[in-house]
Amino acid sequence: MAETIINSNQLRASGDTSTQTLIGANQIRQSGDSSSQTLLNKNQIAGSDVEVLYLTKNGSPTINNGEVYDFSNSNYLIFNNFNPSKHFSFKMKFQYFGNTDNREYNCLIGWVTGGGIIAIAVNRSNRLYMGLSTSDFSWNISDISGSSDIQTNTDYYIKFSFDGTQYKLELSTDDISYTTECVVSSTALIRNGQELNLTFGKGHSLNNWHFNGKIYLNKSGCVLDGIDYVFEVAE
């Protein structure tokens, strides 16, 4: 059987067309190759190299069949104890409802504590934005926006990665072909390498940078130092 995993560039397979079974959400993810991946509940399968990373829920975001929405400053998900010194790649599927409140940023990924350390967002011009800092609001690693217009009520995928020398934010509509929207060469570490609690669906609380849209958590995941994870929300 082919082993299919998520990496920083694409879902990859070892070359045959067999079905790969992974731990995670209860849906099928389509990769760009000819094999399909069946994602089953973590209690139904053993022997997979993919692990489950449990997110915690703050407040009451709506979670329905793997989709998360109704984000606010008090309703979001938390990725606890993220280590920004490790090589990482996040993949996230989302749909944007529009900037109805004229916010500066609608954050897909942010930081739970106050200041601006990380903002992966849709900006006021409906472009992707990658803001990264070693310290609060310095944006001294990255403060750049992409060039593609993010349409409302359209499914998109992003990949946000760091390989030790480069931060990159990529965009796709089909999870097969990705375009680079933001890229910066840097060895500087987010928050100087200190652990932090990331937020999904919310930026920092000072400027109401929560995300007006939905995140398909069951079609999102990450790779941390070569280990593949799918996301689930802890009960």
Side-chain angles (χ1 to χ4, degrees):
M1 182 190 302
E3 177 188 358
T4 307
I5 58 179
I6 305 168
N7 70 8
S8 61
N9 295 313
Q10 62 182 0
L11 292 168
R12 66 180 185 265
S14 63
D16 65 28
T17 57
S18 59
T19 299
Q20 169 69 30
T21 306
L22 305 180
I23 295 172
N26 300 313
Q27 282 198 321
I28 292 175
R29 289 185 192 166
Q30 295 300 324
S31 74
D33 59 34
S34 57
S35 61
S36 64
Q37 315 162 45
T38 307
L39 302 182
L40 301 177
N41 185 275
K42 63 184 180 300
N43 295 320
Q44 293 176 301
I45 176 177
S48 171
D49 291 333
V50 177
E51 300 185 23
V52 177
L53 195 153
Y54 288 97
L55 308 175
T56 56
K57 182 172 63 172
N58 190 90
S60 301
T62 299
I63 303 175
N64 184 22
N65 292 324
E67 299 176 5
V68 189
Y69 47 94
D70 292 335
F71 297 108
S72 70
N73 276 347
S74 56
N75 298 322
Y76 53 90
L77 300 178
I78 302 173
F79 181 134
N80 292 283
N81 303 316
F82 171 66
N83 185 344
S85 68
K86 294 179 177 294
H87 296 183
F88 61 79
S89 178
F90 287 87
K91 186 176 82 168
M92 183 177 287
K93 183 180 180 181
F94 70 95
Q95 190 176 114
Y96 178 51
F97 296 162
N99 194 10
T100 54
D101 296 332
N102 195 32
R103 290 192 289 274
E104 186 175 8
Y105 297 106
N106 277 259
C107 279
L108 289 158
I109 303 174
W111 182 33
V112 73
T113 305
I117 287 289
I118 177 171
I120 303 301
V122 180
N123 67 17
R124 189 173 282 151
S125 299
N126 298 320
R127 309 285 178 86
L128 286 180
Y129 173 76
M130 184 173 73
L132 307 171
S133 301
T134 59
S135 58
D136 285 8
F137 293 110
S138 63
W139 305 130
N140 58 337
I141 300 175
S142 173
D143 183 20
I144 55 178
S145 298
S147 59
S148 297
D149 291 324
I150 304 300
Q151 305 296 320
T152 59
N153 303 311
T154 302
D155 290 342
Y156 290 98
Y157 298 82
I158 58 166
K159 289 180 181 177
F160 168 53
S161 61
F162 175 61
D163 64 3
T165 61
Q166 186 181 83
Y167 294 90
K168 185 187 295 185
L169 182 60
E170 301 168 90
L171 179 69
S172 175
T173 57
D174 57 12
D175 195 25
I176 298 173
S177 177
Y178 280 82
T179 60
T180 298
E181 292 291 315
C182 307
V183 63
V184 61
S185 295
S186 177
T187 58
L189 299 177
I190 299 167
R191 205 189 179 204
N192 287 314
Q194 299 178 67
E195 285 190 350
L196 66 153
N197 293 338
L198 296 178
T199 55
F200 290 173
K202 170 189 174 292
H204 72 89
S205 58
L206 301 180
N207 289 326
N208 298 312
W209 287 2
H210 50 275
F211 184 65
N212 185 32
K214 64 181 175 181
I215 293 172
Y216 297 86
L217 201 66
N218 54 4
K219 296 191 177 180
S220 303
C222 66
V223 180
L224 304 176
D225 264 4
I227 301 174
D228 299 89
Y229 296 90
V230 291
F231 299 131
E232 291 190 9
V233 178
E235 298 297 331

